[in-house]
Every structure is written in C-alpha cells, then in structure tokens.
Amino acid sequence: MMGKDEAAPQLMTVRQLAQQGDVTVHVVRNYLRRGLLQAATHTEGGYQLFSASELQRLHFIRTAQQLGFTLAEIEEIIRHSLQRHSPCPLVRDIIRRRLDDTRQQLDRLLAMHQRMERAIHAWAKLPDSIPTGDDVCALIEAVAAAEGGKFVKSTPRRLLGRRPTQENLP
C-alpha cells in the first residue's frame, strides 16, 4: 500500500501518449495494432492507459525509423529484446544492408540529377514546339535522341524502400 507521500505512476491516454511522443493518435493506434506498443491498463470505460515506459518505447520506434528501419524490422528487434536475446547483431546487419541500399539509391539520384542538369541546359537552346501527332514533347524526346535511345527502366522514386535487382537497376 502506498503512503501519502508516494505518487502513483502517471498513466497517459492514447491522445496524451501521442502528444508527448510528437506523433498523431493514428500513429499510436497503428503501433498498438502491430503490437509495438501495449497499454498498461484500461479504465472502467475501456480507455487504454499507458505508462512512461511506452513513451520510451515510442521514442525508440521513432528513432529506429529515422535510422531507416522499417516497422517490420523494428518488430523483429523488439521481439529479440523481449525474448532476452541481444538484438544488436541483427541491428548491425540490417543497418549495413540499408547503408548499401542507400548508397545505391543515392548513386541513382545523382545520375538522375546530372541528366536533369544536362537536359535543362540543352532545353534552353530549343524552341517550344507543337506536337505533330506521333511525338508528345520535343524536349523529352530530344533527351532520348541525345542519349541514343537508352531507356532507364525505373526511376529512383519507385525504387525507394525496395532492394535493387537486375531488372530495376539503371
């Protein structure tokens, strides 16, 4: 039994947890559905209440996401931790792969940036034109002609978050 001087741990509602975690209520509910967060208890009215440890868990999830971890990977990391296994080797492995993927994406983005710069310089010299029927935009078609008809199958935007394969490499 607690004495008069002892305060009960402060519990938070979903909304309070979201506010203190600087996320939306929708994000908290999504994490709850995925099992990343758990309510400490429920009120008689059925409201979920959360302890400070869940706020700490919420901060952990957001930090992991900022490092590039997916929610599925974060779930696996948390599962390792709950099973009293060190998640550190898993975390290192994932981040090493993510670093390689990020380098490849960055290379593709830099190549696209260079193509865009070359195109904008070339386009400054070209007049506007009206399509004749078989063409769409003379500016874009001029880039294709200048590059000898080379076609890049995917743009980096479509590749973000995906592992590169032979089929989607430029």
Side-chain angles (χ1 to χ4, degrees):
M1 192 161 148
M2 284 192 275
K4 288 183 179 181
D5 295 349
E6 294 180 53
Q10 183 67 26
L11 297 175
M12 297 167 274
T13 64
V14 168
R15 184 170 307 283
Q16 291 168 329
L17 179 64
Q19 287 172 339
Q20 289 191 31
D22 198 27
V23 297
T24 65
V25 170
H26 174 75
V27 167
V28 171
R29 293 196 192 285
N30 181 38
Y31 294 171
L32 283 166
R33 278 190 301 277
R34 294 186 75 116
L36 292 168
L37 296 174
Q38 291 184 332
T41 188
H42 294 78
T43 66
E44 288 180 20
Y47 289 98
Q48 295 173 313
L49 297 176
F50 300 89
S51 66
S53 65
E54 289 308 293
L55 178 59
Q56 184 177 349
R57 173 72 55 90
L58 179 58
H59 287 300
F60 170 83
I61 294 165
R62 301 303 285 178
T63 301
Q65 285 182 307
Q66 290 173 348
L67 283 168
F69 290 93
T70 66
L71 288 179
E73 291 165 339
I74 295 167
E75 287 173 13
E76 189 175 357
I77 292 165
I78 290 172
R79 191 170 38 254
H80 270 70
S81 179
L82 292 174
Q83 294 171 350
R84 296 289 196 211
H85 298 260
S86 173
C88 296
L90 173 65
V91 166
R92 285 187 192 100
D93 182 53
I94 291 170
I95 222 55
R96 273 189 202 102
R97 283 182 288 153
R98 190 64 33 78
L99 194 57
D100 292 342
D101 292 347
T102 303
R103 167 55 57 200
Q104 291 173 8
Q105 290 173 1
L106 183 57
D107 290 345
R108 284 189 293 274
L109 286 170
L110 288 171
M112 179 185 277
H113 185 265
Q114 290 170 351
R115 289 180 81 210
M116 293 168 86
E117 283 185 333
R118 284 192 307 268
I120 201 70
H121 284 53
W123 292 348
K125 301 171 193 162
L126 296 177
D128 291 350
S129 65
I130 297 171
T132 60
D134 290 333
D135 58 340
V136 177
C137 176
L139 298 178
I140 294 172
E141 289 161 357
V143 170
E147 293 182 352
K150 287 187 274 178
F151 179 70
V152 178
K153 290 186 180 182
S154 281
T155 62
R157 182 179 313 151
R158 291 187 202 127
L159 291 172
L160 292 178
R162 288 192 1 218
R163 297 213 39 119
T165 65
Q166 282 301 100
E167 294 172 353
N168 62 24
L169 285 176

